[in-house]
Amino acid sequence: MESKVAKEWMDELARTANAKDFEAHIALISKQVQVFGFPDIEVIRYDDWAAQCKHEFAQGILKSYRYDGVKVLMMMPGKVAFETRETIEATDGTVNVMDVEIVLQREDDGKWRGSAGA
């Protein structure tokens, strides 16, 4: 069940990014999101994520976005943590491949949103 939730969320995150559908994409992210692990950046929060996505979508910087594999690390009611491989390709040919840990949380409205990453 948890791996299905994670897979469906990743598929939708990638689909909305590839379609440059900002509203649908950012709706998958918790307002409490905190992302760690980027050089020279202490933490990425919701407003940072939203601004970056809006810029990349509007400027046509993103060519493709995908996830490969899911390994559930922790599950509890309303929360799942997992590892996956994220591949982001830019229109300038730059490809960034990272193994990431993501925490999804079912929020009060019943929707699963990314709340943490590293």
Side-chain angles (χ1 to χ4, degrees), residues 16-107:
T16 58
N18 291 328
K20 305 317 180 260
D21 184 343
F22 175 77
E23 295 301 326
H25 186 74
I26 203 66
L28 297 166
I29 307 303
S30 174
K31 298 242 189 228
Q32 284 73 47
V33 71
Q34 294 184 354
V35 180
F36 302 93
F38 288 94
D40 303 323
I41 300 173
E42 185 176 329
V43 62
I44 296 172
R45 300 189 191 281
Y46 180 86
D47 290 339
D48 305 317
W49 189 315
Q52 183 68 25
C53 289
K54 188 171 263 191
H55 170 75
E56 289 176 355
F57 292 2
Q59 298 300 311
I61 294 170
L62 180 71
K63 180 177 179 183
S64 69
Y65 191 105
R66 76 171 190 272
Y67 290 104
D68 297 301
V70 60
K71 177 183 174 190
V72 174
L73 302 172
M74 180 273 305
M75 55 188 162
M76 56 191 335
K79 189 177 273 192
V80 60
F82 61 94
E83 292 178 333
T84 187
R85 177 160 287 177
E86 178 182 73
T87 303
I88 302 172
E89 184 177 357
T91 53
D92 69 0
T94 304
V95 177
N96 190 0
V97 179
M98 296 182 290
D99 291 327
V100 295
E101 291 181 12
I102 298 173
V103 177
L104 296 182
Q105 190 164 306
R106 188 182 348 227
E107 296 193 338

